[in-house]
């Protein structure tokens, strides 16, 4: 029996032929486009079979023009397996290597990476899904870019190592400077021999700082005080060496005349040492000094514990003292020693005399304590809070009172970083009477 002709056969054949023509046209377009670029190009269809491979791709992977491992219609996984078997992906299980490279393709997600080939060349490989369901891969030789990046990275590492070495030497030198600076300060034994008891908080902002404390026993009494020099860190530490030297010389020259005379003498020595010149201490200059003159100096509160009295003079700093009726303050004059361009606003040096029978304890602090930031808005601790903290602990023993006042300072700071060196020196002159 003769089979009846299928009326739709011609239509299906025509559609298939049209599809093949479309594929041929697409392949021709890919060959034309791919032949004009230097990037490697690999295109696969929705079934992840090779549609197109250009010449640069073959060159990158050592494939001849008629190599069957890159022929049209070959599954992508087979091409990747060929690369893995020839060491393209390094050592390891080839199946695992192929699976890892197929994963982003199967998930239809874009990706990009730089990979070094066994011969040393670097390729940037990108993969992007196509709307038709296929995938396109591009391969760009980025060897020069990577080599330059490696060169720059190596240069950065070398420079970093050099900087770390320099920094280590600087820190080592500053640490040694800290030892030297601390060795010039009065020893605990000297303070203990000179007073019934003492409490010291000495915290440079950096390893070394611009604060220092002073103690010098003499036949007529004991000189003591604290000072805050211009700056902190190394510059401040250098200034402390000058300040301490002129202070010692002033004590040796005019110490018997009292702390006000000592500070006036130290002021003149400081200005002479810094080339500031100018009139006698406490007197404003007739005209502003040359702008080239260093505007350095130091604030200080300086005392003499003499028989029957405590003499106090301050330039930029004062102190608190505790008597039978509570905590009182002795304010220093406005303006420290030196400071060529600030001398017009400096006050006159004066000296206060406190009866020895009235003074129980003394509390000396530099501005770094008052300026310690804290609270909700980061304001400085301030003199009022400090006086209140010392007053609030007045009924405690000496060491406990000092520790409580410092604890109040730290609680106010709340862990905020300090802005300056901090020095707090307290002296117990009459243990047992509070």
């Amino acid at each position: 029996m003769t089979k009846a002709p299928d009326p739709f056969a011609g239509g299906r054949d025509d559609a298939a032929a049209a599809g093949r023509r479309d594929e041929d046209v697409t392949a021709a377009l890919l060959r034309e486009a791919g032949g004009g670029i230097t990037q490697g190009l690999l295109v696969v269809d929705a079934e992840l079979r090779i549609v197109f491979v250009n010449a640069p791709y073959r060159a990158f992977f050592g494939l001849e023009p008629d190599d069957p491992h890159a022929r049209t219609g070959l599954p992508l996984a087979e091409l990747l397996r060929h690369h893995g078997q020839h060491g393209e992906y390094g050592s390891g299980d080839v199946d695992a290597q192929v699976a890892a490279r197929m994963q982003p393709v199967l998930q239809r997600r874009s990706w990009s990476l730089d990979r070094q080939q066994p011969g040393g060349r670097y390729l940037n490989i990108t993969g992007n899904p196509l709307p038709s369901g296929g995938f396109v891969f591009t391969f760009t030789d980025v060897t020069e870019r990577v080599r330059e990046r490696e060169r720059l990275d190596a240069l950065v590492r070398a420079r970093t190592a050099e900087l770390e070495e320099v920094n280590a030497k600087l820190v080592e030198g500053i640490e040694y400077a800290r030892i030297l600076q601390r060795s010039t300060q009065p020893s605990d034994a000297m303070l203990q021999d000179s007073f019934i008891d003492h409490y010291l908080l000495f915290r440079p902002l950096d390893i070394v700082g611009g604060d220092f404390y002073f103690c010098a026993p003499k036949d007529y009494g004991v000189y003591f005080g604290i000072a805050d020099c211009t700056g902190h860190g190394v510059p401040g530490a250098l200034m402390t060496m000058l300040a301490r030297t002129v202070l010692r010389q002033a004590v040796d020259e005019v110490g018997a005349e009292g702390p006000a005379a000592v500070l006036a003498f130290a002021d003149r020595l400081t200005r002479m040492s810094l080339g500031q010149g100018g009139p006698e201490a406490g007197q404003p200059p007739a005209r502003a000094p040359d702008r080239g003159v260093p505007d350095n100096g130091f604030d200080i509160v300086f005392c003499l514990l003499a028989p029957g009295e405590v003499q106090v003079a301050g330039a930029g700093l004062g102190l608190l003292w505790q008597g039978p009726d509570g905590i009182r303050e002795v304010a220093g004059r406005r303006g420290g020693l030196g400071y060529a361009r600030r001398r017009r606003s400096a006050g006159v040096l004066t000296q206060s005399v406190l009866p020895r029978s009235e003074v129980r304890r003394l509390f000396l602090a530099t501005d770094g304590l008052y300026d310690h930031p804290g609270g909700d808005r980061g304001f400085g601790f301030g003199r009022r809070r400090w006086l209140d903290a010392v007053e609030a602990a007045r009924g405690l023993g000496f060491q406990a009172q000092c520790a409580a006042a410092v604890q109040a300072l730290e609680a106010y700071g709340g862990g905020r970083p300090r802005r300056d060196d901090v020095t707090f020196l307290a002296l117990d002159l009459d243990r047992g009477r509070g």
Side-chain angles (χ1 to χ4, degrees):
M1 180 175 180
T2 304
K3 184 177 181 181
D6 184 352
F8 300 102
R12 286 198 297 268
D13 293 342
D14 291 342
R20 285 192 296 272
R21 285 195 299 272
D22 289 342
E23 291 177 359
D24 291 341
V25 170
T26 300
L29 290 173
L30 285 171
R31 284 193 296 273
E32 182 178 356
I37 62 175
T38 57
Q39 289 178 302
L41 190 62
L42 169 63
V43 182
V44 298
D45 59 18
E47 296 179 354
L48 302 185
R49 294 179 177 274
I50 296 175
V51 174
F52 176 74
V53 174
N54 72 349
Y57 177 90
R58 295 178 183 275
F60 286 152
F61 295 99
L63 300 173
E64 296 295 331
D66 57 349
D67 195 308
H69 297 98
R71 71 182 183 276
T72 301
L74 184 74
L76 174 62
E78 292 302 315
L79 174 60
L80 299 181
R81 185 176 303 280
H82 170 75
H83 290 332
Q85 290 171 342
H86 286 76
E88 182 66 30
Y89 308 134
S91 60
D93 182 73
V94 173
D95 289 337
Q97 293 171 341
V98 172
R101 282 154 181 79
M102 287 296 294
Q103 184 176 11
V105 180
L106 295 171
Q107 294 174 348
R108 294 191 55 75
R109 57 183 171 86
S110 299
W111 50 272
S112 177
L113 58 85
D114 288 348
R115 190 180 78 221
Q116 185 177 19
Q117 292 188 287
R121 176 168 48 196
Y122 284 89
L123 294 178
N124 174 258
I125 306 172
T126 64
N128 291 287
L130 297 173
S132 63
F135 229 83
V136 60
F137 307 88
T138 59
F139 302 78
T140 306
D141 188 339
V142 292
T143 304
E144 291 302 318
R145 185 187 74 189
V146 173
R147 297 293 187 215
E148 179 64 12
R149 184 176 65 201
E150 290 176 343
R151 186 188 70 81
L152 292 176
D153 288 345
L155 183 62
V156 169
R157 287 194 297 271
R159 292 291 183 269
T160 301
E162 291 175 4
L163 290 174
E164 288 176 348
E165 182 179 358
V166 170
N167 184 65
K169 290 180 179 179
L170 286 174
V171 171
E172 181 181 355
I174 296 173
E175 284 286 357
Y176 185 66
R178 179 185 64 81
I179 297 173
L180 292 177
Q181 185 182 41
R182 195 61 188 261
S183 70
T184 63
Q185 306 270 39
S187 66
D188 286 343
M190 177 184 289
L191 293 173
Q192 203 64 43
D193 290 343
S194 301
F195 309 100
I196 293 175
D197 201 359
H198 72 279
Y199 184 99
L200 176 65
L201 178 71
F202 182 69
R203 292 179 178 173
L205 181 63
D206 301 311
I207 299 173
V208 292
D211 284 5
F212 69 92
Y213 50 98
F214 187 93
C215 183
K218 296 293 181 180
D219 294 339
Y220 47 82
V222 179
Y223 267 110
F224 62 93
I226 61 172
D228 179 2
C229 297
T230 307
H232 47 78
V234 173
L238 291 174
M239 188 64 200
T240 66
M241 306 302 287
L242 169 65
R244 203 189 316 272
T245 298
V246 301
L247 203 57
R248 284 201 189 100
Q249 183 174 347
V251 169
D252 290 342
E253 294 285 345
V254 298
E257 300 176 27
V262 171
L263 295 190
F265 195 93
D267 187 37
R268 291 193 294 271
L269 289 178
T270 299
R271 288 184 286 111
M272 290 173 56
S273 299
L274 296 175
Q276 295 172 342
E280 292 299 306
Q283 302 300 317
R287 60 183 178 82
D290 187 340
R291 285 287 175 181
V293 174
D295 190 29
N296 296 333
F298 59 99
D299 296 343
I300 184 170
V301 58
F302 205 56
C303 309
L304 174 62
L305 178 60
E309 62 185 20
V310 180
Q311 302 173 14
V312 181
L317 293 178
L319 59 75
L320 302 179
W321 65 279
Q322 181 171 318
D325 300 326
I327 305 297
R328 300 182 183 180
E329 182 176 11
V330 175
R333 81 158 190 196
R334 183 179 62 253
L337 307 184
Y339 296 116
R341 291 196 288 275
R342 307 181 208 177
R343 296 196 60 76
R344 288 186 174 183
S345 61
V348 177
L349 280 166
T350 59
Q351 183 167 295
S352 300
V353 178
L354 309 177
R356 177 68 182 79
S357 60
E358 296 289 319
V359 181
R360 308 287 194 261
R361 298 167 183 172
L362 293 168
F363 306 91
L364 294 69
T366 58
D367 281 346
L369 185 148
Y370 308 128
D371 294 339
H372 196 305
D376 295 335
R377 304 176 67 179
F379 291 154
F381 189 59
R383 284 175 167 77
R384 182 72 255 176
R385 288 190 184 89
W386 178 241
L387 191 153
D388 290 344
V390 175
E391 175 70 44
R394 183 162 63 95
L396 302 177
F398 173 70
Q399 290 290 333
Q401 180 186 19
C402 295
V406 171
Q407 185 177 11
L409 170 70
E410 294 177 341
Y412 176 80
R416 288 177 182 264
R418 290 183 288 116
R419 293 190 286 243
D420 200 358
D421 307 316
V422 172
T423 300
F424 166 45
L425 174 64
L427 302 171
D428 185 4
L429 305 185
D430 204 353
R431 177 178 292 163
R433 290 204 293 168

